[in-house]
């Protein structure tokens, strides 16, 4: 028996909101994008200093890459939840999720090719895909652990 993809529309909406957020950030010119990430860097440096941890290693580059990974991990959760409403993490739902989660960062980096001071990078597509895969994996793991815990009750 073939499994069907079970779509959950609220999660489709959440996925679209995440895509709009991601692509909206890609439309920000390079100078403004750099200023925003430097502001985040200053906050992180302050927080690390406050708790007595070394902060010099945290650079603008690291902040930007953590941002890529994190936003795509969240998108991975949203998309996999949208296309796997039954929480089975079966092959068809995961393949459909993978297709979306490769297309979105590819379009994201393509958008950046047309924005002043930005550059689309294959390495960012790969990082984004790793973030998305991490989000999907964490969601599936949480679902499995949740089912195991409720079966014991």
């Amino acid at each position: 028996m073939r499994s069907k993809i079970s779509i959950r529309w609220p999660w489709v909406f959440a996925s679209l909101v995440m895509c709009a957020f991601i692509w909206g950030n890609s439309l920000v010119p390079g100078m403004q994008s750099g200023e925003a990430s430097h502001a985040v860097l200053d906050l992180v440096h302050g927080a690390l200093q406050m708790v007595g941890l070394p902060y010099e290693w945290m650079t603008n580059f690291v902040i930007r890459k953590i941002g890529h990974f994190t936003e795509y991990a969240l998108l991975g959760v949203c998309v996999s939840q949208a296309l796997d409403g039954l929480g089975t993490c079966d092959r068809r739902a995961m393949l459909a999720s993978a297709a979306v989660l490769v297309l979105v960062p590819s379009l994201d980096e393509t958008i950046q090719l047309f924005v002043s001071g930005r550059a689309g990078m294959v390495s960012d597509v790969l990082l984004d895909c790793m973030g998305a895969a991490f989000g999907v994996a964490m969601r599936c793991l949480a679902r499995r652990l949740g089912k195991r815990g409720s079966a014991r009750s």
Side-chain angles (χ1 to χ4, degrees):
M1 184 168 113
R2 291 183 129 186
S3 62
K4 290 172 41 174
I5 294 175
S6 173
I7 295 175
R8 297 190 64 197
W9 293 104
W11 286 99
V12 170
F13 179 74
S15 298
L16 292 173
V17 168
M18 274 302 299
C19 287
F21 174 78
I22 291 168
W23 291 338
N25 283 331
S26 289
L27 291 169
V28 175
M31 183 87 88
Q32 291 170 297
S33 176
E35 289 171 4
S37 60
H38 278 291
V40 172
L41 178 62
D42 290 342
L43 288 171
V44 171
H45 276 181
L48 291 172
Q49 268 185 305
M50 191 181 329
V51 296
L53 294 173
Y55 63 90
E56 297 85 4
W57 64 272
M58 183 64 72
T59 64
N60 190 48
F61 177 81
V62 172
I63 289 291
R64 293 180 79 82
K65 298 313 166 189
I66 289 172
H68 269 268
F69 189 90
T70 303
E71 66 190 9
Y72 277 94
L74 291 171
L75 182 64
V77 170
C78 291
V79 168
S80 64
Q81 188 70 17
L83 299 178
D84 183 29
L86 299 177
T88 59
C89 297
D90 76 339
R91 182 176 298 175
R92 291 184 86 182
M94 293 302 100
L95 286 174
S97 295
V100 170
L101 294 168
V102 168
L103 180 64
V104 172
S106 298
L107 290 173
D108 179 35
E109 293 301 313
T110 301
I111 289 168
Q112 291 182 37
L113 293 173
F114 301 99
V115 178
S116 172
R118 301 295 294 265
M121 297 170 47
V122 173
S123 60
D124 280 349
V125 173
L126 295 174
L127 179 63
D128 298 342
C129 288
M130 286 190 292
F134 178 79
V136 171
M138 290 299 101
R139 178 197 161 260
C140 286
L141 179 63
R143 298 284 296 194
R144 288 198 175 124
L145 292 174
K147 285 181 183 179
R148 205 179 280 169
S150 64
R152 290 181 185 164
S153 301

